[in-house]
Amino acid sequence: MIKKYKVTLSDTERQFLHGLISKGKGAARRLIHARVLLKADQGLPDLAICEAVEVSRPTVERIRKWFVEEGFDAALDPQHPVTPREHKIDG
């Protein structure tokens, strides 16, 4: 199966991610995303990444998509869209 979202990291991005992981400090979610990006850059299939990082397949696919569509920073630290909510009680 051909991947729609292929992760190709630059040397500086790769070094940054290795440094982030080797420190071991930081948000767990950020470290997981860093590991997924590094494994995807190596060309591993999604199932192998899932087993190695212990995340679900949709998570791996979502991180790939964020990297390709929104860039490196968005894949590492995704921001949820802010949608205005209606007030249940008015006045």
Side-chain angles (χ1 to χ4, degrees):
M1 178 167 82
I2 298 174
K3 288 286 171 202
K4 183 175 181 181
Y5 301 107
K6 183 166 173 39
V7 174
T8 307
L9 297 171
S10 68
D11 289 335
T12 55
E13 291 170 339
R14 200 173 298 113
Q15 288 174 352
F16 176 79
L17 293 176
H18 280 295
L20 186 69
I21 292 171
S22 67
K23 288 178 189 172
K25 293 198 178 243
R29 182 178 187 193
R30 190 170 201 226
L31 294 175
I32 288 171
H33 285 222
R35 286 186 181 98
V36 168
L37 287 171
L38 285 170
K39 301 268 184 209
D41 182 52
Q42 293 173 357
L44 293 176
D46 286 354
L47 286 177
I49 297 171
C50 294
E51 291 173 4
V53 185
E54 297 180 352
V55 294
S56 67
R57 186 179 206 169
T59 300
V60 173
E61 292 169 355
R62 198 169 30 251
I63 294 169
R64 284 180 187 271
K65 180 179 179 183
W66 284 333
F67 178 79
V68 171
E69 291 183 352
E70 299 177 28
F72 178 74
D73 293 330
L76 197 56
D77 296 312
Q79 299 294 320
H80 298 290
V82 178
T83 55
R85 292 182 156 191
E86 292 184 28
H87 296 285
K88 292 186 178 185
I89 301 175
D90 59 346

